[in-house]
Amino acid sequence: MKHGLLLLTLLASLCSTPARSTPTATPSADRAIEAKITALMARMTLTEKVGQLNFPSYAFPREPQLEAVKQGRIGGLLNVVNPAHVKDFEAVVQASRLKIPLLFAIDAIYAFHISFPTPIAWAATWRPELAERAAEAIALETAQTGVNLTFAPMIDISRDPRWGRVIEGAGEDPLLGAAFAAARVRGYRKGGLATSAKHFVGYGAPEGGRDYNGAQISAPELFDRYIPPFQAAIEAGSETVMASFNTVNGVPVTANRRLITDVLKTRLGFDGLVMSDFAAIMELKNHGVAADLADAARRALHAGIDFDMESKAYDRHLEAAVEAGKVPISEVDAAVRRILRVKYRMGLFEDSPGGVRKIPAKMDEETVRKRAREVARESFVLLKNSGATLPITEASGTVALIGSAALSTNDHSWYGPADLEKPRTETLLNALLTRIGDRQRLLYSEAFADPCGQSFKDKEHALSIARGADLIVLIVSEDCTVSGEGASRADLTLSGVQQEMLDALSKIGKPIALVVETGRPLALSAANELVASMLIAWNPGTEGRTALAEVLLGEVAPSGKLPMTFPRSVGQIPISYSDLPTSRPATGDRYTTGYVDEKPTPLYPFGHGLSYTTFEYSGLKISAPAVRANGKIEVRVEVKNAGLRAGQEVVQLYTRQTVASRSRPMRELKGFEKIALQPGEQRTVRFMLPASALGYHDEDGNKIVEAGPIRVFVGGSSAADLETGFDITD
Ligand code: BGC
């Protein structure tokens, strides 16, 4: 049978994922914890049980909440970041009957005091180990306050840059996303925080890119695209998972028993706690699936939501519902057990074994800054560099730097207790001036009245310095207020008057290097036409402008690669290198796939990014012409730095199954490695590819590895053209 199906898993078990075991707990420690939980639960009243499921925001005046904690009616609190306040609550816990410790949680995602670049930039480094170091440093800063849980990592896969929350994730690819999910979980946990992998699931696929909107996701897409990062986060030990706000195929995740209980808890083997998102239980009424808050509480608990963030639905209604026989006590007990399990595993109880919650030593600020700069340096993506316009060297002559973002010290900080001073942040202008000294002339004009160029301050001044320069460096910025939650955009071109500035500068006839600070892929076709170089700097954080100066001046070579496709225009979205083929592949002919008013290809594909040197790929080899479904194959390639500067390259491996029972993606990332090469240096890069990694899920959620031909592509982006192939055999 040439293309026979090899069914690896069947509906009953639904997945090859083994049941989770935490890295900190041995099975016997697990048994000991379960016994302690059983003993503790035997002593709990119904009020105290329901209290564990209640997770409100810190509120003022504090007295009612302190009293509620004393009565055992709160299991955890959001947004207590003042160490003295944490201590006050802990003292009240000690005065309570059962002394059950609290979870203290905040969104320590990419910053607490020192801001790291935003997480999409972490993914652009293609070095998960940098993300791990970043997460550890952030967690160490945060944990000093007594906070013990972060609402991170955000690991939603998204192919839609209109959605503002792509800034918090790792972009569009499940393999890259899973690698970063696991690294981030490891890092935060090393730094003393438990994690919350969020948002389960499909939040990154809202229709129209509108935040909170519903997603339509088929079973193959769910398991092949959206779940792998969650599976990786769970395997890395994430103690908690946050359910998403949205509907999936019409059912809100917060009330979706199939997704929360059957898939997450049973199939993926997740035995930690599942929390709702902020007020999401209450919002089940808005979704039109609950009549009132009491109904919402029953539905969410039945779906498998253990912890009620902010809705107070469980607090207000579960006790009465259990007493009235409307909610089985077993559902409450199951949720309580998960919450206590997490508290034990975190080491919050006096007699907890291991766990993340040993008070970690503080990391000194210089080390945190060093880590932040390290991520920033490797995250910048050089999309274009005609005529080696960058880096700026003496040979570049007089440089005109234009744009008020060059004066910005906005590090997009998210958190930071009031008593900590805002960290010192260098501007790009200063960072460049310090480095250039009197080596060459650097002229500067703000041009815009604000950092994101909504209006002009002095367009003429900018044009006049540009006329007197040999190289124009224009910095433009998407303001952070238009990225993040609740910040979907319908237009992804440069905002305000930034494009108008660029148009005017381009008429001068000098080479232009465009630097773009952004939280998401933008539609930069118009800009791309006019510039020689284009560098994506994301939102680079406290050390970001220093790192940017280093890269612009060539002290460090850019080495980032796109974790998400840059479209030509909004109308192309969603567009991904891993789209399915169509009946009529694009040829430019009208009756093939594409648009009559736009090219079918993106402006820059996933995985793309240049250096100041070039890399040559050769000698692509596979270890065998065929492999069985349970076998492995080695893919080997030679990579050479063919230029005159040192640089780093992300070597990427893609596959395509050309004949199968379902249409398979045109390409799928199956491996990557970032390597550093000196000029002239050549290295052999090897990937071990198990045939099982080439499988996919069918409409019933079964994982299948199908016999058939596999094409293999290796190179520096998803458009890699060095190709070989092999067969999977029965
Ligand atoms: C967001 C979550 C966040 C929570 C608490 C919600 O609006 O969707 O990602 O963790 O608020 O701040």
Side-chain angles (χ1 to χ4, degrees):
M1 178 172 66
K2 186 139 196 308
H3 304 299
L5 293 186
L6 308 175
L7 219 57
L8 283 194
T9 45
L10 291 168
L11 261 178
S13 67
L14 285 173
C15 180
S16 54
T17 316
R20 170 185 180 278
S21 68
T22 59
T24 52
T26 61
S28 67
D30 270 349
R31 275 197 300 279
I33 285 176
E34 296 308 313
K36 282 179 189 167
I37 296 172
T38 305
L40 179 55
M41 285 179 62
R43 297 172 58 211
M44 291 171 82
T45 62
L46 179 57
T47 309
E48 285 163 338
K49 285 181 177 174
V50 171
Q52 281 305 303
L53 318 187
N54 184 23
F55 187 28
S57 294
Y58 185 30
F60 292 91
R62 298 192 301 151
E63 285 61 36
Q65 269 185 346
L66 288 165
E67 185 52 32
V69 169
K70 193 164 171 197
Q71 291 170 13
R73 293 189 51 202
I74 288 182
L77 285 156
L78 279 73
N79 298 343
V80 191
V81 286
N82 182 324
H85 297 180
V86 171
K87 287 212 166 67
D88 290 345
F89 279 106
E90 284 176 342
V92 174
V93 166
Q94 288 313 312
S96 68
R97 198 176 77 85
L98 295 173
K99 302 183 177 42
I100 302 178
L102 294 169
L103 293 171
F104 293 102
I106 64 166
D107 289 272
I109 298 173
Y110 59 87
F112 184 72
H113 184 221
I114 303 297
S115 279
F116 281 67
T118 46
I120 185 133
W122 302 14
T125 68
W126 288 60
R127 279 188 64 195
E129 65 273 28
L130 292 186
E132 184 171 337
R133 287 158 61 77
E136 182 195 14
I138 294 159
L140 281 169
E141 281 192 336
T142 310
Q144 303 305 319
T145 63
V147 166
N148 49 32
L149 168 68
T150 178
F151 295 132
M154 194 290 240
I155 55 178
D156 293 307
I157 296 296
S158 184
R159 305 175 149 216
D160 197 329
R162 293 171 298 183
W163 189 54
R165 297 197 79 168
V166 299
I167 195 174
E168 292 175 63
E172 75 188 45
D173 187 77
L175 185 89
L176 191 67
F180 276 88
R184 289 172 72 187
V185 167
R186 283 195 299 271
Y188 295 121
R189 296 183 79 237
K190 242 194 240 172
L193 296 183
T195 55
S196 189
K198 68 187 190 184
H199 308 81
F200 190 85
V201 61
Y203 186 33
E207 289 198 324
R210 294 191 293 282
D211 207 356
Y212 317 115
N213 207 12
Q216 297 292 332
I217 303 178
S218 67
E221 284 175 348
L222 182 71
F223 291 109
D224 291 340
R225 187 183 302 161
Y226 295 102
I227 284 190
F230 287 94
Q231 191 164 333
I234 292 167
E235 284 166 10
S238 189
E239 291 82 356
T240 84
V241 170
M242 189 187 295
S244 57
F245 287 125
N246 53 290
T247 58
V248 171
N249 305 334
V251 181
V253 176
T254 311
N256 198 321
R257 190 172 165 86
R258 192 182 78 78
L259 287 175
I260 299 295
T261 294
D262 299 349
V263 174
L264 175 59
K265 292 183 174 177
T266 308
R267 175 168 173 160
L268 301 186
F270 178 64
D271 66 358
L273 81 84
V274 180
M275 64 179 78
S276 76
D277 202 343
F278 195 90
I281 299 182
M282 185 169 76
E283 290 170 4
L284 287 177
K285 285 186 292 177
N286 300 344
H287 275 298
V289 302
D292 51 31
L293 195 63
D295 192 20
R298 289 193 297 271
R299 287 176 192 274
L301 186 72
H302 182 66
I305 304 290
D306 306 308
F307 213 30
D308 170 6
M309 191 201 298
E310 188 59 16
S311 295
K312 301 178 187 73
Y314 289 176
D315 179 48
R316 291 193 183 141
H317 297 289
L318 279 189
E319 228 178 303
V322 170
E323 275 158 3
K326 290 185 182 163
V327 165
I329 185 69
S330 58
E331 287 187 359
V332 173
D333 281 348
V336 174
R337 179 168 287 278
R338 282 172 179 270
I339 290 164
L340 295 178
R341 183 181 291 146
V342 162
K343 290 181 174 179
Y344 271 109
R345 282 184 179 160
M346 286 168 65
L348 300 186
F349 285 93
E350 293 287 306
D351 61 343
S352 301
V356 293
R357 191 70 193 137
K358 300 170 223 87
I359 297 298
K362 200 167 186 261
M363 188 178 272
D364 67 280
E365 182 172 324
E366 277 318 303
T367 310
V368 183
R369 282 181 178 272
K370 218 172 125 209
R371 290 193 178 190
R373 197 190 295 189
E374 187 177 52
V375 177
R377 275 180 184 150
E378 296 212 18
S379 70
F380 303 141
V381 186
L382 184 63
L383 293 180
K384 175 178 185 182
N385 199 22
S386 321
T389 301
L390 287 177
I392 302 167
T393 62
E394 267 176 83
S396 312
T398 300
V399 179
L401 175 67
I402 295 170
S404 44
L407 292 185
S408 173
T409 55
N410 180 4
D411 62 4
H412 302 97
S413 53
W414 193 312
Y415 265 99
D419 60 342
L420 280 181
E421 260 180 49
K422 200 170 159 35
R424 164 182 47 82
T425 306
E426 188 67 293
T427 65
L428 177 61
L429 177 61
N430 269 342
L432 284 172
L433 284 172
T434 322
R435 285 174 168 71
I436 288 182
D438 48 17
R439 184 180 90 194
Q440 68 197 101
R441 285 179 75 212
L442 177 73
L443 313 171
Y444 177 64
S445 178
E446 279 178 78
F448 311 120
D450 56 282
C452 50
Q454 290 307 303
S455 59
F456 283 115
K457 179 171 185 185
D458 195 342
K459 182 178 174 186
E460 280 316 310
H461 180 244
L463 290 171
S464 75
I465 65 154
R467 281 188 204 103
D470 304 298
L471 168 66
I472 300 167
V473 178
L474 174 64
I475 176 160
V476 294
S477 175
E478 190 205 31
D479 192 310
C480 206
T481 56
V482 295
S483 283
E485 186 174 351
S488 294
R489 292 183 65 186
D491 175 12
L492 293 177
T493 56
L494 294 179
S495 59
V497 295
Q498 298 179 117
Q499 183 68 41
E500 191 183 328
M501 184 77 253
L502 179 57
D503 291 342
L505 289 170
S506 71
K507 299 208 170 76
I508 295 175
K510 306 278 171 66
I512 301 176
L514 183 69
V515 178
V516 186
E517 289 197 3
T518 179
R520 49 154 63 94
L522 297 172
L524 295 171
S525 295
N528 190 57
E529 298 277 297
L530 306 177
V531 301
S533 299
M534 184 147 67
L535 183 74
I536 302 300
W538 312 109
N539 297 121
T542 310
E543 285 291 314
R545 282 34 174 265
T546 312
L548 191 50
E550 292 171 342
V551 168
L552 288 173
L553 295 173
E555 291 169 19
V556 173
S559 64
K561 299 274 186 177
L562 292 180
M564 223 177 148
T565 307
F566 269 52
R568 290 177 193 275
S569 58
V570 166
Q572 289 184 318
I573 298 169
I575 181 169
S576 168
Y577 82 95
S578 65
D579 284 338
L580 298 182
T582 67
S583 60
R584 297 192 179 176
T587 62
D589 180 80
R590 173 165 178 170
Y591 296 99
T592 62
T593 194
Y595 303 92
V596 289
D597 58 354
E598 184 56 280
K599 291 185 178 150
T601 52
L603 188 62
Y604 291 105
F606 174 83
H608 172 74
L610 307 173
S611 178
Y612 292 148
T613 185
T614 52
F615 299 97
E616 277 173 13
Y617 287 76
S618 63
L620 178 58
K621 293 207 172 57
I622 41 166
S623 56
V627 63
R628 300 181 78 88
N630 58 0
K632 289 182 190 159
I633 203 156
E634 189 192 69
V635 180
R636 204 169 72 216
V637 71
E638 304 298 322
V639 187
K640 182 174 178 191
N641 181 343
L644 299 174
R645 289 171 166 271
Q648 293 192 80
E649 168 72 329
V650 181
V651 183
Q652 300 162 47
L653 166 71
Y654 295 87
T655 60
R656 174 176 178 188
Q657 184 155 22
T658 44
V659 186
S661 304
R662 297 178 58 81
S663 273
R664 305 298 321 286
M666 289 193 284
R667 288 190 181 190
E668 291 177 286
L669 180 70
K670 293 296 172 193
F672 62 92
E673 188 180 341
K674 192 168 190 175
I675 56 168
L677 292 177
Q678 294 302 317
E681 190 184 347
Q682 176 165 318
R683 172 120 29 111
T684 307
V685 175
R686 296 184 155 81
F687 295 100
M688 193 49 86
L689 187 60
S692 62
L694 304 173
Y696 65 94
H697 291 83
D698 68 13
E699 280 175 33
D700 296 321
N702 301 309
K703 182 157 184 205
I704 289 164
V705 178
E706 201 167 353
I710 303 290
R711 291 171 72 187
V712 174
F713 308 87
V714 177
S717 87
S718 59
D721 52 12
L722 196 59
E723 184 180 345
T724 182
F726 62 89
D727 284 325
I728 298 180
T729 54
D730 290 336

